[in-house]
Amino acid sequence: MKHFFELTRPYLTWLVLSSLAIMMTFEALTSNNPRIFHILVHPSGETSARLLIVTMMATPLAMLLKGWRGPQWLKRNRRYLGVASFGYGLLHTIFYLLDKASLTTVVDELPRLYIWTGWIAFIIFVPLALTSMDYFVRKMGKWWKWVQRWTYAAAVLTLVHWAALHDWNGAAPALVHFAPLIALEAYRVWYWYLRPRSVAA
């Protein structure tokens, strides 16, 4: 039974992670509501941001809660979570483009802070997702980690993208979501660079 679970675990994980995307896509394809794409833009984007936050929380949580199973599970599956975050970001982008239904409108909106930050974050996500496979880990060597560190830039841009919606009136929900990650990353910096160490250590 344990061997069967290990064989099916990736598929079960992907089923759970993709279930909301499947429901959103089904709703977009079957709904008669002319504003359905506009309605789905925000939940798809927020799901992408939440998965990004959970992905980035894995390592500092494992450091803070040594030996706890939850953080260790997150750490083992963070690549799945990261790719799922990109998938929802892609869905978010598709819904946005379908909602605008005009290249002129999309281009006209580019100078807005909450628009161009979202586009740059998505562009950064693309190579991160494409190089997430074991093949690229082996081929790229030390450069793989350098590429993956761009996740931090994508996270900052995602925070600004979310917070700047509606002339910064949406900042509170974005900050509430990102606050645990900011706190954990601050702990990580303190642990590695600022905490007192004995001479022997």
Side-chain angles (χ1 to χ4, degrees):
M1 184 69 180
K2 185 177 179 181
H3 181 64
F4 172 78
F5 178 75
E6 288 299 319
L7 286 174
T8 58
R9 181 173 61 85
Y11 304 104
L12 292 172
T13 303
W14 278 121
L15 180 62
V16 172
L17 290 173
S18 63
S19 58
L20 187 57
I22 293 169
M23 288 188 286
M24 286 182 181
T25 303
F26 178 79
E27 188 174 358
L29 293 174
T30 59
S31 176
N32 294 321
N33 189 336
R35 299 184 73 252
I36 189 60
F37 298 127
H38 180 78
I39 292 168
L40 292 173
V41 166
H42 296 294
S44 57
E46 289 177 7
T47 303
S48 175
R50 288 170 184 143
L51 286 168
L52 174 63
I53 291 166
V54 172
T55 302
M56 296 183 69
M57 285 173 62
T59 298
L61 263 181
M63 290 171 56
L64 181 64
L65 305 173
K66 293 180 176 66
W68 287 41
R69 290 185 178 181
Q72 292 301 326
W73 182 90
L74 288 177
K75 197 172 178 180
R76 286 195 306 272
N77 292 278
R78 59 187 168 184
R79 265 196 277 173
Y80 295 145
L81 294 164
V83 173
S85 176
F86 167 75
Y88 282 97
L90 176 60
L91 201 60
H92 173 65
T93 304
I94 292 171
F95 287 148
Y96 167 75
L97 293 174
L98 290 172
D99 175 47
K100 297 306 174 183
S102 167
L103 181 60
T104 303
T105 304
V106 171
V107 172
D108 287 345
E109 289 188 346
L110 279 177
R112 299 178 185 179
L113 178 63
Y114 69 91
I115 295 296
W116 66 258
T117 50
W119 276 114
I120 296 176
F122 178 72
I123 290 168
I124 293 173
F125 262 129
V126 173
L128 295 176
L130 291 177
T131 58
S132 64
M133 296 179 290
D134 290 335
Y135 171 82
F136 287 103
V137 177
R138 293 191 301 269
K139 288 292 183 181
M140 295 175 66
K142 65 179 181 180
W143 288 105
W144 185 83
K145 283 191 175 182
W146 181 85
V147 170
Q148 294 300 313
R149 287 194 182 104
W150 280 89
T151 307
Y152 294 99
V156 172
L157 288 163
T158 300
L159 171 58
V160 176
H161 171 65
W162 190 351
L165 286 170
H166 311 300
D167 297 324
W168 292 94
N169 290 328
L175 291 172
V176 167
H177 278 80
F178 274 88
L181 174 60
I182 294 169
L184 283 168
E185 289 297 339
Y187 166 77
R188 190 179 185 183
V189 171
W190 172 84
Y191 182 87
W192 285 116
Y193 303 108
L194 302 175
R195 70 187 173 103
R197 289 176 171 83
S198 64
V199 175

